[in-house]
Amino acid sequence: MKREDDIKKAVDILRKGGVILYPTDTVWGIGCDATNPEAVKRVYEIKQRDDSKALICLVDSEARLQRYVRNVPGVAWQLFECADKPTTVILDGAVNLAENLIAADGSVALRITKEEFSKELCYRFQKAVVSTSVNISGQPAAQNFCDIPQEILDKVDYVCWSRRQEHKPHTPSSIIRLGMGGEVEIIRK
């Protein structure tokens, strides 16, 4: 399947409130429309994860990121610009997202993806896409398609074809929390 057709199918599923598995700039991700609370609930159920643990969202651009946070501190832009690996930033003041995606303190974890497939997926969808690792909570993340448990494959609405043949190490993103006053806390290197 051509990448363009793969993305078109994935976007169609996302628009219908479905859940997909897709390659990202890090490990394989379980994705859904980050503004759809029912879809977000399904992701938590598939991962068997407590919904008090927030999920990461991917966006394709700085402009799109600004739709989901009231005030993005200047240091966030510096982090995105200087990062030498995929970096997720936890920001306060989340807006325009599913309530069950926003942490109890009002924050959200966002990453601007630069990887071709996930960037194009987010661009075509025109919204933030949930991007949590493909695994049952507490188990190792699926670095490659071949690592995805059948139990998860059976529970989603679409599995992307792109990059299924890859067999190389992938690691999760760095996670950095930024406070409104410019405080920086490294959650995961």
Side-chain angles (χ1 to χ4, degrees):
M1 176 182 280
K2 290 192 301 189
R3 188 177 82 181
E4 184 178 322
D5 295 332
D6 199 14
I7 288 172
K8 194 174 186 180
K9 176 70 175 168
V11 167
D12 183 52
I13 297 295
L14 291 171
R15 286 191 177 131
K16 292 177 180 172
V19 175
I20 65 169
L21 299 182
Y22 66 109
T24 75
D25 52 344
T26 60
V27 297
W28 269 70
I30 300 177
C32 71
D33 176 350
T35 67
N36 182 325
E38 286 304 312
V40 171
K41 181 180 176 194
R42 276 193 59 209
V43 170
Y44 279 114
E45 290 168 353
I46 291 167
K47 284 185 67 80
Q48 299 171 28
R49 183 174 177 160
D50 182 356
D51 65 5
S52 68
K53 294 183 178 180
L55 303 173
I56 292 170
C57 298
L58 285 187
V59 293
D60 63 313
S61 65
E62 292 177 0
R64 187 111 41 228
L65 182 134
Q66 290 178 301
R67 292 183 187 178
Y68 302 110
V69 179
R70 279 193 185 89
N71 295 304
V72 181
V75 69
W77 304 124
Q78 293 169 342
L79 273 172
F80 287 127
E81 193 175 306
C82 297
D84 59 356
K85 68 178 264 188
T87 301
T88 301
V89 178
I90 300 172
L91 299 164
D92 293 324
V95 293
N96 304 318
L97 293 165
E99 295 244 344
N100 54 345
L101 187 61
I102 299 170
D105 65 2
S107 66
V108 64
L110 291 161
R111 184 167 74 248
I112 300 171
T113 181
K114 295 176 183 165
E115 183 270 333
E116 284 182 31
F117 185 88
S118 55
K119 186 176 182 78
E120 183 74 12
L121 176 72
C122 292
Y123 174 76
R124 295 283 175 112
F125 186 53
Q126 296 285 298
K127 292 183 190 177
V129 177
V130 166
S131 181
T132 184
S133 58
V134 178
N135 63 322
I136 301 299
S137 190
Q139 296 181 4
Q143 293 184 32
N144 296 286
F145 173 76
C146 62
D147 302 323
I148 299 173
Q150 190 64 46
E151 173 184 5
I152 292 178
L153 290 168
D154 293 341
K155 291 181 181 176
V156 300
D157 302 302
Y158 184 68
V159 181
C160 292
W161 288 92
S162 298
R163 293 180 43 203
R164 281 193 186 188
Q165 302 307 315
E166 254 181 28
H167 293 282
K168 62 182 189 179
H170 295 277
T171 56
S173 68
S174 296
I175 301 178
I176 299 173
R177 180 177 181 87
L178 298 179
M180 292 301 280
E183 310 84 16
V184 176
E185 178 186 358
I186 298 172
I187 307 292
R188 180 172 68 200
K189 283 190 176 194

